[in-house]
Amino acid sequence: MKTCTPTTLLLTSTAVVSAFTVVPQNSRYITVARTSTHLNGLFDGVKEAFSAPPSQLDSERETPIDRWMGWSVVSENASSDSAAPADFVDSMDEKNYVAVELPKPMGIVFEENDSEYGGIFVQSLKDGGVAAENGVLQPGDQLVSVGTKDVSGMDFDDALGAIIESEGETTKLTLFRGSAKQFYGPTGPSKEWLAAFCEKGGVPAQ
């Protein structure tokens, strides 16, 4: 009957992974070879693995954890290039807005945007008019608010009517410096941002 010599493994305060190597059967002892592969940092990268979004998700593979983590779902044909358009103007940056306080008549010729957008914009400034002398407004500026009233997207008569019906010696106009597509298109401001912006009267008049 064969006997085995017991081998004692000592546990140290630093966790290690042990690899066992058995020598040939004609040897009297079973030896234990230790490697010093420490478990320190075993969980390094786990947090990053869970927090980093996948490079691409299709809609059929979306799970609640994807939505909870804020990972975007893109179609299989979506481009990996997420760069902003060359003509991008941030419509939720107040630096892209101007405001004036002018008496009436202001000398501004407004024109209505294409029906897909709505709203009105500055078509031109009358020579010698108040707005031209003020020097702030430019052709193409999109009218956003009259005082604290949001007139964006209104048809021509309603938007212009807000200016005509305004009271006081001067009327404040706030305008977006960009195109109708940049303001009313996919990159336009959110309804919540725009409502708060108009409620406070837009940006200071120049």
Coordinates of all heavy atoms in Angstrom, one line a residue, residues 7-78:
T7 N 1.5 17.4 2.2 CA 2.1 18.6 1.9 C 1.3 19.8 2.4 O 0.1 19.8 2.2 CB 2.3 18.8 0.4 OG1 3.0 17.8 -0.1 CG2 3.0 20.1 0.0
T8 N 1.9 20.6 3.2 CA 1.1 21.7 3.8 C 1.3 23.0 3.0 O 2.4 23.4 2.7 CB 1.7 22.0 5.3 OG1 1.5 20.8 6.0 CG2 0.9 23.1 5.9
L9 N 0.2 23.6 2.7 CA 0.2 24.9 2.0 C 0.0 26.0 3.0 O -1.1 26.0 3.7 CB -0.9 24.9 0.9 CG -0.8 23.8 -0.2 CD1 -2.0 24.0 -1.1 CD2 0.5 23.9 -0.9
L10 N 0.9 26.9 3.1 CA 0.7 28.1 4.0 C 0.0 29.2 3.3 O 0.4 29.6 2.1 CB 2.1 28.5 4.5 CG 2.9 27.5 5.3 CD1 4.2 28.0 5.7 CD2 2.1 27.0 6.5
L11 N -1.0 29.8 3.9 CA -1.7 30.9 3.3 C -1.1 32.2 3.8 O -1.0 32.4 5.0 CB -3.2 30.9 3.7 CG -4.0 29.7 3.1 CD1 -5.4 29.8 3.6 CD2 -3.9 29.6 1.6
T12 N -0.6 33.0 3.0 CA -0.1 34.3 3.4 C -1.1 35.4 3.3 O -2.2 35.2 2.7 CB 1.1 34.7 2.5 OG1 0.7 34.8 1.1 CG2 2.2 33.6 2.5
S13 N -0.8 36.6 3.8 CA -1.7 37.7 3.8 C -1.9 38.3 2.4 O -2.9 38.9 2.1 CB -1.2 38.9 4.7 OG 0.1 39.3 4.2
T14 N -1.0 38.0 1.5 CA -1.2 38.4 0.1 C -1.7 37.2 -0.7 O -1.0 36.2 -0.7 CB 0.2 38.9 -0.5 OG1 0.7 40.0 0.3 CG2 0.0 39.3 -1.9
A15 N -2.9 37.4 -1.3 CA -3.4 36.3 -2.1 C -2.6 36.0 -3.3 O -2.1 36.8 -4.0 CB -4.9 36.6 -2.5
V16 N -2.4 34.7 -3.5 CA -1.6 34.2 -4.6 C -2.3 33.1 -5.3 O -3.2 32.5 -4.7 CB -0.2 33.8 -4.3 CG1 0.6 34.9 -3.6 CG2 -0.3 32.6 -3.3
V17 N -2.0 32.9 -6.6 CA -2.5 31.8 -7.3 C -1.5 30.8 -7.4 O -0.3 31.0 -7.8 CB -3.0 32.2 -8.7 CG1 -3.4 31.0 -9.6 CG2 -4.1 33.3 -8.7
S18 N -1.7 29.5 -6.9 CA -0.7 28.5 -6.9 C -1.0 27.5 -8.1 O -2.1 27.1 -8.3 CB -0.8 27.7 -5.6 OG -0.5 28.6 -4.5
A19 N 0.1 27.2 -8.7 CA 0.0 26.2 -9.8 C 0.7 24.9 -9.2 O 1.8 25.0 -8.7 CB 0.8 26.7 -11.0
F20 N 0.0 23.8 -9.4 CA 0.6 22.5 -8.8 C 1.2 21.7 -10.0 O 0.6 21.5 -11.0 CB -0.6 21.7 -8.2 CG -1.2 22.4 -7.0 CD1 -2.2 23.3 -7.2 CD2 -0.7 22.2 -5.7 CE1 -2.8 24.0 -6.1 CE2 -1.3 22.9 -4.7 CZ -2.3 23.8 -4.8
T21 N 2.4 21.2 -9.7 CA 3.1 20.4 -10.7 C 3.4 19.1 -10.1 O 4.0 19.0 -9.0 CB 4.4 21.1 -11.1 OG1 4.1 22.4 -11.6 CG2 5.1 20.3 -12.2
V22 N 2.9 18.0 -10.7 CA 3.2 16.7 -10.2 C 4.4 16.0 -10.9 O 4.4 16.0 -12.1 CB 1.9 15.8 -10.4 CG1 2.2 14.4 -9.8 CG2 0.7 16.4 -9.7
V23 N 5.3 15.6 -10.1 CA 6.5 15.0 -10.6 C 6.2 13.5 -11.0 O 5.2 13.0 -10.6 CB 7.7 15.0 -9.6 CG1 8.0 16.4 -9.3 CG2 7.3 14.2 -8.4
P24 N 7.0 12.8 -11.7 CA 6.7 11.4 -12.1 C 6.5 10.5 -11.0 O 6.9 10.7 -9.8 CB 8.0 11.0 -12.9 CG 8.6 12.3 -13.4 CD 8.2 13.4 -12.4
Q25 N 5.7 9.4 -11.2 CA 5.3 8.5 -10.1 C 6.4 7.8 -9.4 O 6.3 7.4 -8.3 CB 4.3 7.5 -10.7 CG 3.0 8.1 -11.2 CD 2.1 7.0 -11.7 OE1 2.5 5.8 -11.8 NE2 0.9 7.4 -12.1
N26 N 7.6 7.7 -10.0 CA 8.7 7.1 -9.4 C 9.4 7.9 -8.3 O 10.3 7.5 -7.7 CB 9.7 6.5 -10.4 CG 10.2 7.7 -11.2 OD1 9.8 8.8 -11.0 ND2 11.1 7.4 -12.1
S27 N 8.9 9.1 -8.2 CA 9.4 10.0 -7.2 C 8.7 9.8 -5.9 O 7.5 9.4 -5.9 CB 9.3 11.5 -7.6 OG 9.7 12.3 -6.6
R28 N 9.4 9.9 -4.8 CA 8.8 9.7 -3.5 C 7.8 10.8 -3.0 O 7.0 10.6 -2.1 CB 9.9 9.4 -2.4 CG 10.7 8.2 -2.7 CD 11.7 8.1 -1.6 NE 11.1 8.0 -0.3 CZ 11.7 8.1 0.9 NH1 13.0 8.3 0.9 NH2 11.1 8.1 2.0
Y29 N 8.0 11.9 -3.5 CA 7.2 13.1 -3.0 C 6.5 13.8 -4.1 O 6.9 13.8 -5.2 CB 8.1 14.1 -2.3 CG 8.9 13.5 -1.1 CD1 10.2 13.1 -1.2 CD2 8.2 13.3 0.1 CE1 10.9 12.5 -0.2 CE2 8.9 12.7 1.2 CZ 10.3 12.3 1.1 OH 10.9 11.8 2.1
I30 N 5.4 14.4 -3.7 CA 4.7 15.3 -4.6 C 5.1 16.7 -4.2 O 5.0 17.1 -3.1 CB 3.1 15.2 -4.4 CG1 2.7 13.8 -4.8 CG2 2.4 16.2 -5.2 CD1 1.2 13.6 -4.5
T31 N 5.7 17.4 -5.1 CA 6.2 18.7 -4.9 C 5.2 19.8 -5.3 O 4.4 19.5 -6.2 CB 7.5 19.0 -5.6 OG1 7.3 18.9 -7.0 CG2 8.6 18.0 -5.1
V32 N 5.2 20.9 -4.7 CA 4.3 22.0 -5.0 C 5.1 23.2 -5.5 O 6.0 23.6 -4.8 CB 3.5 22.4 -3.8 CG1 2.6 23.6 -4.1 CG2 2.6 21.2 -3.3
A33 N 4.8 23.6 -6.7 CA 5.5 24.7 -7.2 C 4.6 26.0 -7.1 O 3.5 25.9 -7.6 CB 5.9 24.5 -8.7
R34 N 5.1 27.0 -6.5 CA 4.3 28.2 -6.4 C 4.7 29.2 -7.4 O 5.9 29.4 -7.7 CB 4.5 28.8 -5.0 CG 3.9 28.0 -3.9 CD 4.1 28.8 -2.6 NE 3.6 28.0 -1.5 CZ 2.3 28.1 -1.0 NH1 1.5 28.9 -1.7 NH2 1.9 27.4 0.0
T35 N 3.7 29.9 -8.0 CA 4.0 31.1 -8.8 C 3.6 32.3 -8.0 O 2.8 32.2 -7.2 CB 3.2 31.0 -10.1 OG1 1.9 31.1 -9.8 CG2 3.5 29.7 -10.9
S36 N 4.2 33.4 -8.4 CA 4.0 34.6 -7.7 C 3.0 35.5 -8.4 O 3.2 36.7 -8.5 CB 5.3 35.4 -7.4 OG 5.9 35.6 -8.6
T37 N 2.0 34.8 -9.1 CA 1.0 35.6 -9.8 C 0.1 36.2 -8.8 O -0.9 35.5 -8.3 CB 0.3 34.8 -10.8 OG1 1.2 34.1 -11.6 CG2 -0.7 35.6 -11.6
H38 N 0.3 37.4 -8.4 CA -0.6 38.1 -7.4 C -1.9 38.5 -8.0 O -2.1 38.8 -9.1 CB 0.1 39.3 -6.8 CG 1.4 39.0 -6.0 ND1 1.3 38.7 -4.7 CD2 2.7 38.8 -6.4 CE1 2.5 38.4 -4.3 NE2 3.4 38.5 -5.3
L39 N -2.9 38.5 -7.1 CA -4.3 38.9 -7.5 C -4.5 40.4 -7.3 O -5.6 40.9 -7.5 CB -5.3 38.2 -6.7 CG -5.4 36.7 -6.9 CD1 -6.5 36.1 -6.0 CD2 -5.6 36.3 -8.3
N40 N -3.4 41.1 -6.9 CA -3.5 42.5 -6.8 C -3.9 43.1 -8.1 O -3.3 42.9 -9.1 CB -2.2 43.1 -6.3 CG -1.8 42.7 -5.0 OD1 -2.6 42.3 -4.2 ND2 -0.5 42.7 -4.7
G41 N -5.0 43.9 -8.1 CA -5.4 44.6 -9.3 C -6.3 43.6 -10.2 O -6.4 43.9 -11.3
L42 N -6.7 42.5 -9.6 CA -7.5 41.6 -10.3 C -8.7 42.2 -10.9 O -9.2 41.9 -12.0 CB -7.9 40.4 -9.4 CG -8.9 39.3 -10.1 CD1 -8.2 38.7 -11.3 CD2 -9.3 38.3 -9.1
F43 N -9.3 43.2 -10.2 CA -10.6 43.8 -10.6 C -10.3 45.1 -11.4 O -11.2 45.8 -11.6 CB -11.5 44.0 -9.4 CG -12.0 42.7 -8.8 CD1 -11.4 42.3 -7.6 CD2 -12.9 42.0 -9.4 CE1 -11.8 41.1 -7.0 CE2 -13.3 40.8 -8.8 CZ -12.8 40.4 -7.6
D44 N -9.0 45.4 -11.6 CA -8.7 46.6 -12.4 C -9.4 46.5 -13.7 O -9.3 45.5 -14.4 CB -7.2 46.8 -12.6 CG -6.5 47.1 -11.3 OD1 -7.3 47.4 -10.3 OD2 -5.3 47.1 -11.2
G45 N -10.0 47.6 -14.1 CA -10.6 47.6 -15.5 C -12.1 47.1 -15.5 O -12.7 47.2 -16.5
V46 N -12.5 46.5 -14.4 CA -13.9 46.0 -14.3 C -14.9 47.2 -14.5 O -15.8 47.2 -15.2 CB -14.2 45.2 -13.1 CG1 -15.7 44.9 -13.0 CG2 -13.4 44.0 -13.1
K47 N -14.6 48.3 -13.7 CA -15.4 49.5 -13.8 C -15.5 50.0 -15.2 O -16.5 50.4 -15.7 CB -14.9 50.5 -12.8 CG -15.8 51.8 -12.8 CD -15.3 52.8 -11.8 CE -16.1 54.1 -11.8 NZ -15.5 55.0 -10.8
E48 N -14.2 50.1 -15.8 CA -14.2 50.7 -17.1 C -15.0 49.8 -18.1 O -15.6 50.3 -19.0 CB -12.7 50.8 -17.5 CG -12.0 51.9 -16.8 CD -11.6 51.5 -15.4 OE1 -11.7 50.3 -15.1 OE2 -11.1 52.4 -14.7
A49 N -14.9 48.5 -17.9 CA -15.6 47.6 -18.8 C -17.1 47.8 -18.8 O -17.7 47.7 -19.8 CB -15.2 46.1 -18.4
F50 N -17.6 48.1 -17.6 CA -19.0 48.3 -17.5 C -19.5 49.7 -17.9 O -20.6 50.0 -18.3 CB -19.5 48.0 -16.0 CG -19.7 46.6 -15.8 CD1 -18.7 45.8 -15.2 CD2 -20.8 45.9 -16.2 CE1 -18.9 44.5 -14.9 CE2 -21.0 44.5 -16.0 CZ -20.0 43.8 -15.4
S51 N -18.6 50.7 -17.7 CA -18.9 52.1 -17.9 C -18.7 52.5 -19.4 O -19.3 53.4 -19.9 CB -18.2 53.1 -17.0 OG -16.8 52.9 -17.2
A52 N -17.8 51.9 -20.1 CA -17.5 52.2 -21.4 C -18.6 51.7 -22.4 O -18.9 50.5 -22.4 CB -16.2 51.7 -21.9
P53 N -19.2 52.6 -23.2 CA -20.3 52.1 -24.1 C -19.7 51.3 -25.2 O -18.6 51.5 -25.6 CB -20.9 53.4 -24.5 CG -19.8 54.4 -24.5 CD -19.0 54.0 -23.3
P54 N -20.5 50.4 -25.7 CA -20.0 49.7 -26.9 C -19.9 50.6 -28.1 O -20.6 51.6 -28.1 CB -21.1 48.6 -27.1 CG -22.3 49.2 -26.5 CD -21.8 50.0 -25.3
S55 N -19.0 50.3 -29.0 CA -18.8 51.2 -30.2 C -20.1 51.3 -31.0 O -20.3 52.3 -31.7 CB -17.6 50.7 -31.0 OG -17.9 49.4 -31.5
Q56 N -20.9 50.2 -31.0 CA -22.1 50.3 -31.8 C -23.1 49.3 -31.3 O -22.8 48.2 -31.0 CB -21.7 49.9 -33.3 CG -22.8 50.2 -34.3 CD -22.3 50.0 -35.7 OE1 -21.7 49.0 -36.0 NE2 -22.5 50.9 -36.6
L57 N -24.4 49.7 -31.3 CA -25.5 48.8 -30.9 C -26.5 48.9 -32.0 O -26.9 50.0 -32.4 CB -26.1 49.2 -29.6 CG -25.3 48.9 -28.3 CD1 -26.0 49.5 -27.1 CD2 -25.3 47.4 -28.1
D58 N -27.1 47.8 -32.4 CA -28.3 47.9 -33.2 C -29.5 47.8 -32.4 O -29.5 47.4 -31.2 CB -28.3 46.8 -34.3 CG -28.2 45.4 -33.8 OD1 -29.1 45.1 -32.9 OD2 -27.4 44.6 -34.1
S59 N -30.6 48.3 -32.9 CA -31.8 48.4 -32.1 C -32.4 47.1 -31.6 O -33.0 47.1 -30.5 CB -32.9 49.1 -33.0 OG -33.2 48.4 -34.2
E60 N -32.1 46.0 -32.3 CA -32.6 44.7 -31.9 C -31.9 44.2 -30.7 O -32.4 43.3 -29.9 CB -32.5 43.7 -33.0 CG -33.4 44.0 -34.2 CD -33.3 43.0 -35.3 OE1 -32.5 42.1 -35.2 OE2 -34.1 43.1 -36.3
R61 N -30.7 44.7 -30.4 CA -29.8 44.2 -29.3 C -29.9 45.1 -28.1 O -29.3 44.9 -27.1 CB -28.4 44.1 -29.8 CG -28.2 43.0 -30.8 CD -26.7 43.0 -31.3 NE -25.8 42.9 -30.2 CZ -24.6 43.3 -30.2 NH1 -24.1 43.9 -31.4 NH2 -23.8 43.3 -29.2
E62 N -30.7 46.2 -28.2 CA -30.8 47.1 -27.1 C -31.4 46.4 -25.9 O -32.4 45.7 -26.0 CB -31.6 48.3 -27.4 CG -31.6 49.4 -26.3 CD -32.6 50.5 -26.7 OE1 -33.5 50.3 -27.5 OE2 -32.4 51.6 -26.1
T63 N -30.9 46.6 -24.7 CA -31.4 46.1 -23.5 C -31.7 47.3 -22.5 O -31.2 48.4 -22.7 CB -30.4 45.1 -22.8 OG1 -29.2 45.9 -22.5 CG2 -30.0 44.0 -23.8
P64 N -32.4 47.0 -21.4 CA -32.7 48.1 -20.4 C -31.4 48.6 -19.8 O -31.3 49.8 -19.5 CB -33.5 47.3 -19.3 CG -34.2 46.3 -20.1 CD -33.2 45.8 -21.1
I65 N -30.3 47.8 -19.7 CA -29.1 48.3 -19.1 C -28.4 49.3 -20.1 O -27.8 50.2 -19.7 CB -28.1 47.1 -18.8 CG1 -26.9 47.6 -18.0 CG2 -27.7 46.4 -20.1 CD1 -27.2 48.2 -16.7
D66 N -28.6 49.0 -21.4 CA -28.1 50.0 -22.4 C -28.8 51.4 -22.2 O -28.1 52.4 -22.2 CB -28.4 49.5 -23.8 CG -27.7 48.2 -24.1 OD1 -26.6 48.0 -23.5 OD2 -28.2 47.4 -24.9
R67 N -30.1 51.3 -22.0 CA -30.8 52.6 -21.8 C -30.4 53.2 -20.5 O -30.2 54.5 -20.4 CB -32.3 52.4 -21.9 CG -32.8 52.0 -23.3 CD -34.3 52.0 -23.4 NE -34.9 51.0 -22.5 CZ -35.2 49.8 -22.9 NH1 -34.9 49.4 -24.1 NH2 -35.8 48.9 -22.1
W68 N -30.3 52.4 -19.4 CA -29.9 53.0 -18.1 C -28.5 53.6 -18.1 O -28.3 54.6 -17.5 CB -30.0 51.8 -17.1 CG -29.7 52.3 -15.7 CD1 -30.4 53.0 -14.9 CD2 -28.5 52.0 -15.0 NE1 -29.8 53.2 -13.7 CE2 -28.6 52.6 -13.7 CE3 -27.3 51.2 -15.3 CZ2 -27.6 52.5 -12.8 CZ3 -26.3 51.2 -14.3 CH2 -26.5 51.8 -13.1
M69 N -27.6 53.0 -18.9 CA -26.2 53.5 -19.0 C -26.1 54.6 -19.9 O -25.0 55.2 -20.1 CB -25.3 52.3 -19.3 CG -25.1 51.2 -18.3 SD -24.4 51.8 -16.8 CE -22.7 52.0 -17.3
G70 N -27.2 54.9 -20.7 CA -27.1 56.0 -21.6 C -26.4 55.6 -22.9 O -25.9 56.5 -23.6
W71 N -26.3 54.3 -23.3 CA -25.6 53.9 -24.5 C -26.6 54.1 -25.7 O -27.7 53.7 -25.6 CB -25.2 52.5 -24.4 CG -24.2 52.2 -23.4 CD1 -23.3 53.2 -22.8 CD2 -23.8 51.0 -22.7 NE1 -22.5 52.6 -21.9 CE2 -22.8 51.2 -21.8 CE3 -24.3 49.7 -22.8 CZ2 -22.2 50.2 -21.0 CZ3 -23.8 48.7 -22.1 CH2 -22.7 49.0 -21.2
S72 N -26.1 54.8 -26.7 CA -26.9 55.1 -27.8 C -27.1 53.8 -28.7 O -26.2 53.0 -28.8 CB -26.3 56.2 -28.7 OG -26.1 57.4 -27.9
V73 N -28.3 53.8 -29.3 CA -28.6 52.7 -30.2 C -28.5 53.2 -31.6 O -29.1 54.3 -31.9 CB -30.0 52.1 -29.9 CG1 -30.4 51.1 -31.0 CG2 -30.1 51.5 -28.5
V74 N -27.8 52.6 -32.4 CA -27.6 53.1 -33.8 C -28.0 52.0 -34.7 O -27.9 50.8 -34.4 CB -26.1 53.6 -34.1 CG1 -25.8 54.7 -33.2 CG2 -25.2 52.4 -33.8
S75 N -28.3 52.3 -35.9 CA -28.6 51.3 -36.9 C -27.4 50.7 -37.5 O -26.3 51.3 -37.3 CB -29.4 52.0 -38.1 OG -28.6 52.9 -38.8
E76 N -27.5 49.6 -38.1 CA -26.4 48.9 -38.6 C -25.7 49.7 -39.7 O -24.5 49.5 -39.9 CB -26.8 47.5 -39.2 CG -27.3 46.5 -38.2 CD -27.7 45.2 -38.8 OE1 -27.6 45.1 -40.0 OE2 -28.1 44.3 -38.0
N77 N -26.4 50.6 -40.4 CA -25.9 51.3 -41.5 C -25.4 52.7 -41.0 O -25.0 53.5 -41.8 CB -26.9 51.5 -42.6 CG -27.3 50.2 -43.2 OD1 -26.5 49.3 -43.3 ND2 -28.6 50.1 -43.6
A78 N -25.4 53.0 -39.7 CA -25.0 54.3 -39.2 C -23.6 54.5 -39.4 O -22.8 53.6 -39.2 CB -25.4 54.4 -37.7

